[in-house]
């Protein structure tokens, strides 16, 4: 869970006619008057801000509100699920109170640091706080200053109106609508489900409105969806099926806006253009690696883990290839070898990170990789699981691609593109003709830090490890 709800305290003062012409040293200077009686601040709410869930996140999408308007909150409760450019994350509150008003509805996008909801201190203050929030027209200059990584508490006299473009859910609209537009709802009451359960429900065709949750406070979790799907399958007779219809068909000529993830990929790709890069290719014989893979595959070892392990061992001997340059004036020899591996996703890609790949045995590394892939596809990766890579692998060999170039991710020194291992006719040193399995690898590197000789030496070491992979299983 991410304790990342960023809230800003905003105090509501009585309207001018209710003031007693008083002076209070606790009030801001511009609200002080010349008399001596103190006016107590009664209504007080906090703005819940869109948090920054990653270093590249500039806006977030509300996947679902776990709590409903008027519901009581306790410190540490999960309040909302936010989709960042990398993952869906539950966001918790740092304060007790009541969820007074949801400003940004499910499915809507808001910039990092903008208000997405209001939190009241007590139930009696909800109505006044909402009225003040909807009536106010004075912008809050502090609302855009948050980084989303903590809490800023500032006293002000009014809550700012929603930023332009925000979807504001009016109270009257709520009263007229008996059922919300969110698929996990019934009778206007939201059915709470984890992001993975919602994704699984769509994949299995399970209507979450009819599922009873077994998670905390009745929350629907993945096993509830799987059980409902199994029960439905047992009850319904299988009818003859017609030709399958793809749900990935596109409407030709239609303009489709970027998703949150695609926006992040776009920004990173444009940023990479500012880095001077060069590319070096190498041919590696994989007969020994293929033989090893056949032996250990039954134990759960994946080819991705073998390649990551081999790469990490080569990086140990060539730390400059594992370095990074971020400011254009210096570079860092990274103290950890964290191999990020590109994974294709619907509408983009992610790079889950195998941390300390040089120190972890191949069996543990394989188990960790499978876990990361499952979390990536469920959009449940934590920031440290995708933003800590020091070297990147991109493997299209499983698609039969024999060679390609990869674009360098910002903040790293090199990325290696791995092609398919294919039977190739080769000549031995003694002039004989034979058949060997070979693959092409191409490394794209930051030329400010890494030079041609550095990459050549690294690839020679990598080839020796792959062609004699006895060290991979140690």
């Amino acid at each position: 869970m991410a304790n990342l709800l960023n809230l800003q305290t905003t105090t509501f003062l009585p309207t001018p006619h209710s003031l007693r012409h008083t002076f209070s040293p606790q009030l801001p200077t511009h609200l002080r008057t010349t008399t001596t009686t103190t006016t107590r601040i009664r209504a007080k709410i906090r703005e819940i801000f869109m948090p920054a869930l990653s270093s590249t996140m500039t806006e977030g999408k509300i996947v679902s509100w776990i709590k409903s308007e008027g519901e009581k909150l306790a410190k540490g409760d999960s309040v909302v699920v936010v989709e960042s450019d990398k993952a869906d994350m539950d966001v918790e509150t740092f304060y007790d109170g009541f969820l007074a008003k949801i400003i940004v509805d499910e499915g809507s996008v808001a910039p990092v640091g903008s208000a997405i909801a209001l939190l009241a201190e007590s139930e009696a203050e909800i109505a006044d706080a909402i009225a003040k929030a909807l009536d106010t027209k004075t912008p809050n200059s502090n609302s855009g200053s948050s980084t989303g990584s903590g809490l800023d508490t500032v006293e002000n006299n009014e809550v700012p109106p929603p930023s332009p473009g925000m979807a504001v859910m009016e109270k009257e609209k709520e009263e007229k609508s008996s059922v919300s537009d969110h698929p996990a709802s019934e009778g206007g009451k939201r059915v709470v489900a984890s992001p993975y359960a919602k994704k699984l429900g769509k994949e299995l065709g399970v209507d979450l409105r009819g599922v009873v949750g077994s998670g905390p406070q009745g929350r629907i979790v993945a096993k509830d969806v799987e059980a409902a799907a199994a029960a439905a399958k047992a009850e319904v007779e299988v009818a003859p099926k017609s030709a399958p219809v793809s749900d990935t068909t596109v409407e030709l000529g239609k303009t489709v806006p970027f998703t949150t993830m695609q926006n992040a990929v776009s920004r990173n790709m444009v940023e990479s253009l500012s880095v001077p890069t060069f590319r070096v290719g190498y041919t590696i014989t994989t007969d020994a690696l293929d033989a090893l893979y056949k032996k250990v595959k039954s134990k759960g070892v994946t080819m991705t883990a073998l390649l990551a392990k081999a790469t990490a061992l080569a990086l140990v001997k060539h730390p400059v290839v594992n370095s990074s340059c971020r400011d254009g004036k210096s570079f860092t020899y990274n103290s950890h070898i964290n191999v990020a591996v590109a994974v294709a996703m619907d509408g983009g890609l992610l790079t889950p990170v195998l941390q300390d790949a040089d120190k972890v045995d191949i069996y543990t590394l394989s188990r960790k990789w499978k876990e990361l892939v499952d979390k990536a596809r469920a959009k449940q990766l934590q920031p440290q699981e995708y933003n800590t890579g020091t070297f990147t692998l991109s493997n299209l060999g499983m698609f039969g691609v024999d060679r390609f170039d990869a674009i360098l991710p910002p903040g790293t020194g090199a990325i290696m593109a791995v092609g398919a291992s294919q039977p190739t006719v080769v000549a031995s040193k003694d002039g004989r003709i034979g058949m060997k399995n070979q693959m092409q690898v191409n490394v794209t590197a930051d030329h400010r830090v890494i030079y041609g000789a550095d990459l050549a030496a690294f690839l020679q070491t990598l080839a020796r490890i792959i062609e004699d992979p006895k060290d991979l299983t140690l």
Side-chain angles (χ1 to χ4, degrees):
M1 298 295 178
N3 287 338
L4 296 174
L5 269 190
N6 192 14
L7 301 100
Q8 176 175 319
T9 301
T10 302
T11 56
F12 283 98
L13 303 180
T15 54
H17 68 269
S18 65
L19 291 175
R20 301 179 184 176
H21 303 289
T22 61
F23 170 81
S24 171
Q26 296 178 347
L27 293 176
T29 304
H30 68 282
L31 293 177
R32 296 176 184 173
T33 62
T34 57
T35 55
T36 57
T37 306
T38 300
T39 298
R40 300 291 297 176
I41 298 175
R42 296 181 178 275
K44 182 178 180 182
I45 67 169
R46 291 184 171 92
E47 291 175 323
I48 300 177
F49 288 110
M50 175 63 71
L53 303 179
S54 73
S55 58
T56 59
M57 179 176 168
T58 59
E59 62 181 20
K61 180 180 179 181
I62 303 298
V63 177
S64 64
W65 284 97
I66 299 173
K67 300 295 185 179
S68 303
E69 288 187 350
E71 192 168 349
K72 187 175 182 179
L73 305 179
K75 181 179 179 181
D77 282 352
S78 294
V79 179
V80 62
V81 179
V82 173
E83 176 189 357
S84 71
D85 51 3
K86 305 292 185 182
D88 289 356
M89 297 183 67
D90 287 15
V91 183
E92 301 172 354
T93 177
F94 286 162
Y95 293 94
D96 296 336
F98 291 83
L99 185 59
K101 181 67 176 176
I102 292 175
I103 298 176
V104 182
D105 203 2
E106 293 174 352
S108 297
V109 175
V112 168
S114 62
I116 59 175
L118 305 177
L119 181 69
E121 285 191 327
S122 66
E123 190 171 11
E125 296 169 348
I126 292 178
D128 290 340
I130 292 176
K132 288 285 187 180
L134 294 178
D135 290 342
T136 182
K137 300 297 181 182
T138 305
N140 186 349
S141 60
N142 293 320
S143 63
S145 62
S146 168
T147 62
S149 59
L151 298 178
D152 288 329
T153 302
V154 182
E155 297 290 337
N156 289 301
N157 63 327
E158 289 182 332
V159 169
S163 300
M166 284 187 180
V168 181
M169 185 168 54
E170 300 291 345
K171 188 172 184 179
E172 292 79 11
K173 182 178 177 182
E174 290 181 355
E175 294 173 351
K176 293 178 182 178
S177 175
S178 60
V179 180
S180 75
D181 294 331
H182 194 272
S185 61
E186 183 175 9
K189 182 179 180 181
R190 187 171 295 105
V191 177
V192 180
S194 70
Y196 182 49
K198 293 177 181 179
K199 178 180 175 65
L200 199 61
K202 291 180 180 180
E203 292 176 351
L204 300 178
V206 175
D207 188 349
L208 298 186
R209 291 175 294 184
V211 178
V212 178
S214 63
Q217 299 179 343
R219 190 180 191 191
I220 298 172
V221 294
K223 66 179 182 180
D224 302 325
V225 180
E226 292 170 347
K233 185 176 180 180
E235 294 176 359
V236 179
E237 293 183 357
V238 180
K241 294 184 178 180
S242 57
V245 178
S246 173
D247 59 356
T248 59
T249 55
V250 297
E251 183 179 341
L252 299 180
K254 181 181 180 180
T255 300
V256 181
F258 278 173
T259 63
T260 306
M261 184 182 295
Q262 288 170 328
N263 271 319
V265 172
S266 176
R267 289 193 302 270
N268 285 339
M269 295 304 96
V270 172
E271 183 180 346
S272 70
L273 295 177
S274 64
V275 178
T277 59
F278 73 108
R279 296 166 179 82
V280 175
Y282 207 89
T283 301
I284 302 176
T285 300
T286 61
D287 289 332
L289 183 67
D290 294 338
L292 174 63
Y293 177 58
K294 290 180 180 179
K295 291 181 181 180
V296 297
K297 182 179 180 181
S298 60
K299 298 179 181 179
V301 175
T302 65
M303 179 57 75
T304 296
L306 286 171
L307 290 172
K309 181 70 173 181
T311 301
L313 293 179
L315 289 172
V316 171
K317 300 181 179 180
H318 304 276
V320 69
V321 183
N322 191 52
S323 65
S324 57
C325 174
R326 297 180 183 274
D327 58 4
K329 300 177 181 179
S330 63
F331 65 96
T332 302
Y333 288 106
N334 292 303
S335 58
H336 296 271
I337 296 177
N338 298 337
V339 179
V341 185
V343 175
M345 308 289 296
D346 291 337
L349 60 87
L350 287 175
T351 52
V353 177
L354 291 167
Q355 298 183 1
D356 294 318
D358 58 316
K359 300 175 183 177
V360 181
D361 67 83
I362 194 64
Y363 305 102
T364 303
L365 205 62
S366 295
R367 290 193 296 271
K368 184 61 178 178
W369 176 243
K370 290 180 179 179
E371 175 189 331
L372 288 171
V373 171
D374 289 342
K375 293 177 72 174
R377 290 176 177 162
K379 303 187 73 176
Q380 291 297 300
L381 286 175
Q382 298 300 305
Q384 69 273 13
E385 294 175 324
Y386 60 74
N387 64 10
T388 56
T390 59
F391 184 96
T392 306
L393 282 180
S394 182
N395 183 9
L396 292 180
M398 70 284 291
F399 298 108
V401 175
D402 58 356
R403 70 184 67 195
F404 67 103
D405 289 329
I407 299 177
L408 181 67
T412 60
I415 179 173
M416 185 165 70
V418 181
S421 176
Q422 298 178 334
T424 307
V425 177
V426 298
S428 62
K429 293 180 179 179
D430 58 4
R432 295 183 180 181
I433 302 298
M435 186 79 70
K436 292 184 178 181
N437 289 327
Q438 294 186 328
M439 71 178 182
Q440 303 287 330
V441 298
N442 290 322
V443 181
T444 302
D446 184 344
H447 211 333
R448 297 172 301 177
V449 181
I450 304 169
Y451 305 125
D454 299 322
L455 276 192
F458 163 75
L459 288 171
Q460 287 176 342
T461 301
L462 177 64
R464 285 196 295 270
I465 293 172
I466 290 177
E467 292 171 1
D468 184 14
K470 60 181 183 297
D471 292 337
L472 298 184
T473 54
L474 295 180

